[in-house]
Amino acid sequence: MESPSEHQCRAVSPWRGILITASILSCWIQPTSTQFSLLPNPLYGEVNRSITLDIQGFSGQALIYTWYRKAVAEPNKIALYRVETEAQEPAGIREKVLPNGSLLIPDLTLSDTDDYHVTIVNSQGSIMVGQGHLTVYERTTKPNLTANRTSVIENDTLVFTCGTEQAEVDILWFFNKKSLILNERMKLSMKNQTLIIQVVKRVDAGSYECEIRNPISSNRSDPISLTVNYGPDYITFVPNSEKGEIDVKLKGSLTLECHVESYPPAQYIWQVNGTVNSAFSNNTYVIKNATQEDSGEYTCEAKNNVTNLSVSKSITVKVVENPSGGSNGSTLSGGAIAGIVIGVLAGVALIGGLIYFLFFRKTGGASEHHPTEHKSSAPNNSQTFSDSSPKMTEEVPYASVNFNAQKPAAKTQYPSSMDTVYSEIKK
Ligand SMILES: *[C@@H]1O[C@H](CO)[C@@H](O)[C@H](O)[C@H]1NC(C)=O
Ligand SMILES: *[C@@H]1O[C@H](CO)[C@@H](O)[C@H](O)[C@H]1NC(C)=O
Ligand SMILES: *[C@@H]1O[C@H](CO)[C@@H](O)[C@H](O)[C@H]1NC(C)=O
Ligand SMILES: *[C@@H]1O[C@H](CO)[C@@H](O)[C@H](O)[C@H]1NC(C)=O
Ligand SMILES: *[C@@H]1O[C@H](CO)[C@@H](O)[C@H](O)[C@H]1NC(C)=O
Ligand SMILES: *[C@@H]1O[C@H](CO)[C@@H](O)[C@H](O)[C@H]1NC(C)=O
Ligand SMILES: *[C@@H]1O[C@H](CO)[C@@H](O)[C@H](O)[C@H]1NC(C)=O
Ligand SMILES: *[C@@H]1O[C@H](CO)[C@@H](O)[C@H](O)[C@H]1NC(C)=O
């Protein structure tokens, strides 16, 4: 960086007669620091395209422009241009100095990335220096996204790799077409080229893409669809019963559904009193025209043939001769209506309870809050709803709060608790 002033002096030599004093002056006076800047237009170069390096912030009448690469030094000189004669020397090169002093570089290559300098001799004979930087990029090509598996079992480790030969690119990741938000199980490494999912969970199933970007372009990979095999787990019956017992009227019918979370879908085996009933092989067991012999312990076993896991759960079915409440032999539809009525009443009670909770318990509520909130951390908490139905106005508001907090269970358990209320009323 000491060299600029030295070479400025030399650059002036052809004009020696007129400018010698000025050049000596400028050599002494001028700081070596940049006095104006060079701005690429467009801002970034692209391979095979052309670019103009514009002189920014020079005002005055220029006589000579001299362009350099890397540094102002004779060996780095690109070209010298005399405004008066409109002549460039050397003339037959790729780079052209334009009449306003800009440098036009056609057919860019990556190796044109560099610092560029220009010196200007103005009509007063002063020499000024300008500097700027040019970066040339290739258009990004499509990155090649790979994964060491596209179908995994929950809790496996998975590695995605965004393959690209291109340097100086930023890598971004997408999940289901949106920017991937890293969770605590995900890690990026190798300058974002690899995405590691340490303990894959079912929520990670979906479509993954990576994208490479540089200042001139971006290009996205083809998506990879990740399958996560999980479960079965969270087994429940519909209708459900907290006591593990469900009543069916003599000659009545009962449809028992077994629900699990599983991918691929589970296969089901039903046992009654410990004996497999192969007549039922999906998640639904139907008792029609119930007799006393239909009483017993019903077990649903769900198996996932990919994870090789299974779960099972039992419920006791009791066939009752003459349910109290005397609902003259009506079976399902009557029961359903009763259920809806009870449900509505429960809803009213729920709202009432909520109002009661909000307005009357506000002050003293704090001490009562803790035991109920504590309960809510238990997985089956919301089912306490049906158990405590006699004190419904007391308990329901808390239960309703819990429903919101307990996302996955909420949907199936709300109707089931209604059913349970119904079966209790019938007794
Ligand atoms: C110099 O001239 C070129 C070509 O006419 C033009 O593209 C460029 O913008 C000019 N530069 C400035 C700084 O005016
Ligand atoms: C992405 O790269 C491919 C070549 O790998 C190219 O054909 C395509 O035009 C590029 N897309 C964009 C948007 O630049
Ligand atoms: C994954 O880990 C969780 C927690 O340890 C476990 O409950 C679940 O069964 C595991 N899943 C599989 C498919 O092994
Ligand atoms: C994927 O690769 C990682 C690291 O090499 C390894 O730990 C993991 O077990 C692999 N996962 C599968 C499903 O092969
Ligand atoms: C279960 O299988 C029975 C026939 O065995 C069929 O009628 C019923 O629709 C199936 N239920 C479901 C939920 O697939
Ligand atoms: C129910 O079963 C009883 C005795 O097994 C039989 O008499 C009756 O006809 C059956 N009813 C229906 C609707 O199938
Ligand atoms: C199951 O066992 C109970 C008593 O142990 C019996 O009353 C009932 O009939 C049995 N049910 C079936 C379907 O075998
Ligand atoms: C799992 O069972 C399904 C049928 O329920 C079958 O289509 C699939 O091929 C089985 N997969 C394996 C790995 O056994």
Side-chain angles (χ1 to χ4, degrees):
M1 272 291 151
E2 309 99 84
S3 47
S5 52
E6 200 179 298
H7 288 282
Q8 279 158 31
C9 304
R10 233 186 272 166
V12 186
S13 57
W15 290 70
R16 198 173 293 154
I18 316 161
L19 295 172
I20 187 106
T21 1
S23 76
I24 288 166
L25 249 177
S26 65
C27 283
W28 283 102
I29 292 165
Q30 266 173 28
T32 53
S33 64
T34 302
Q35 290 151 312
F36 51 87
S37 56
L38 302 177
L39 192 69
N41 177 23
L43 219 43
Y44 297 99
E46 181 180 334
V47 168
N48 292 331
R49 301 254 178 136
S50 62
I51 200 157
T52 307
L53 300 178
D54 279 336
I55 295 165
Q56 295 273 303
F58 169 76
S59 57
Q61 212 188 336
L63 301 179
I64 301 174
Y65 299 102
T66 312
W67 281 89
Y68 302 86
R69 201 178 301 246
K70 286 189 172 61
V72 179
E74 192 60 24
N76 297 329
K77 190 164 88 179
I78 301 167
L80 180 146
Y81 182 86
R82 291 174 208 284
V83 175
E84 195 183 49
T85 59
E86 295 185 7
Q88 171 180 329
E89 56 190 59
I93 58 169
R94 179 174 61 122
E95 297 89 347
K96 299 289 175 229
V97 183
L98 302 176
N100 62 9
S102 297
L103 183 70
L104 172 73
I105 312 175
D107 307 320
L108 287 167
T109 66
L110 289 178
S111 58
D112 288 320
T113 295
D114 225 324
D115 286 331
Y116 287 80
H117 302 261
V118 66
T119 61
I120 302 177
V121 178
N122 71 8
S123 49
Q124 277 86 53
S126 320
I127 299 180
M128 276 154 284
V129 192
Q131 194 205 327
H133 186 81
L134 169 64
T135 313
V136 179
Y137 293 96
E138 290 179 284
R139 282 205 89 73
T140 48
T141 52
K142 190 192 275 192
N144 181 28
L145 178 62
T146 55
N148 63 348
R149 287 271 198 89
T150 57
S151 176
V152 296
I153 292 178
E154 201 169 48
N155 303 338
D156 276 355
T157 296
L158 183 67
V159 181
F160 286 104
T161 306
C162 189
T164 176
E165 244 98 78
Q166 291 179 299
E168 312 228 359
V169 288
D170 291 329
I171 299 181
L172 298 101
W173 291 85
F174 294 86
F175 176 60
N176 291 338
K177 304 285 172 192
K178 295 197 183 100
S179 263
L180 173 69
I181 296 161
L182 290 183
N183 61 38
E184 68 288 350
R185 297 174 285 101
M186 293 175 173
K187 234 174 40 198
L188 292 174
S189 64
M190 310 266 294
K191 291 185 176 171
N192 291 3
Q193 260 199 290
T194 61
L195 167 67
I196 301 166
I197 309 180
Q198 296 280 12
V199 185
V200 175
K201 293 294 173 195
R202 58 198 72 177
V203 295
D204 300 329
S207 148
Y208 289 79
E209 292 161 293
C210 72
E211 182 176 294
I212 59 172
R213 273 189 200 174
N214 64 19
I216 60 159
S217 66
S218 66
N219 210 322
R220 210 180 270 204
S221 69
D222 290 331
I224 283 186
S225 177
L226 176 67
T227 302
V228 179
N229 301 287
Y230 59 87
D233 46 28
Y234 302 111
I235 186 165
T236 55
F237 283 113
V238 175
N240 203 352
S241 159
E242 192 47 30
K243 287 176 299 187
E245 192 179 301
I246 188 159
D247 290 352
V248 56
K249 274 179 294 173
L250 194 62
K251 294 180 186 167
S253 67
L254 173 68
T255 301
L256 202 52
E257 284 175 27
C258 180
H259 289 273
V260 294
E261 287 185 20
S262 176
Y263 192 87
Q267 292 153 334
Y268 295 88
I269 295 168
W270 288 93
Q271 293 176 13
V272 183
N273 286 351
T275 306
V276 172
N277 183 348
S278 53
F280 297 95
S281 60
N282 61 21
N283 77 328
T284 307
Y285 194 105
V286 182
I287 299 171
K288 277 184 192 149
N289 195 5
T291 67
Q292 284 300 345
E293 278 89 71
D294 289 319
S295 295
E297 190 189 51
Y298 286 70
T299 303
C300 167
E301 185 184 8
K303 288 184 176 175
N304 178 321
N305 65 357
V306 175
T307 64
N308 283 323
L309 297 177
S310 63
V311 280
S312 67
K313 185 174 171 134
S314 299
I315 195 164
T316 300
V317 173
K318 253 171 85 178
V319 178
V320 290
E321 194 118 4
N322 200 14
S324 58
S327 55
N328 48 353
S330 70
T331 53
L332 202 72
S333 58
I337 290 163
I340 289 161
V341 170
I342 301 293
V344 168
L345 288 176
V348 170
L350 199 143
I351 291 161
L354 192 61
I355 291 167
Y356 175 66
F357 169 71
L358 285 174
F359 290 94
F360 296 92
R361 289 298 185 86
K362 214 186 261 174
T363 46
S367 58
E368 285 173 64
H369 239 95
H370 288 292
T372 21
E373 268 176 5
H374 186 71
K375 257 196 271 172
S376 76
S377 63
N380 287 328
N381 163 266
S382 58
Q383 287 162 357
T384 58
F385 176 36
S386 50
D387 279 352
S388 49
S389 47
K391 313 179 280 175
M392 207 177 268
T393 45
E394 288 279 328
E395 293 292 316
V396 163
Y398 296 108
S400 72
V401 170
N402 293 337
F403 278 132
N404 292 332
Q406 260 200 331
K407 257 202 85 194
K411 244 184 264 167
T412 49
Q413 280 173 351
Y414 192 76
S416 71
S417 46
M418 269 170 52
D419 273 316
T420 317
V421 171
Y422 158 56
S423 63
E424 276 177 6
I425 300 294
K426 277 205 305 184
K427 265 185 289 178

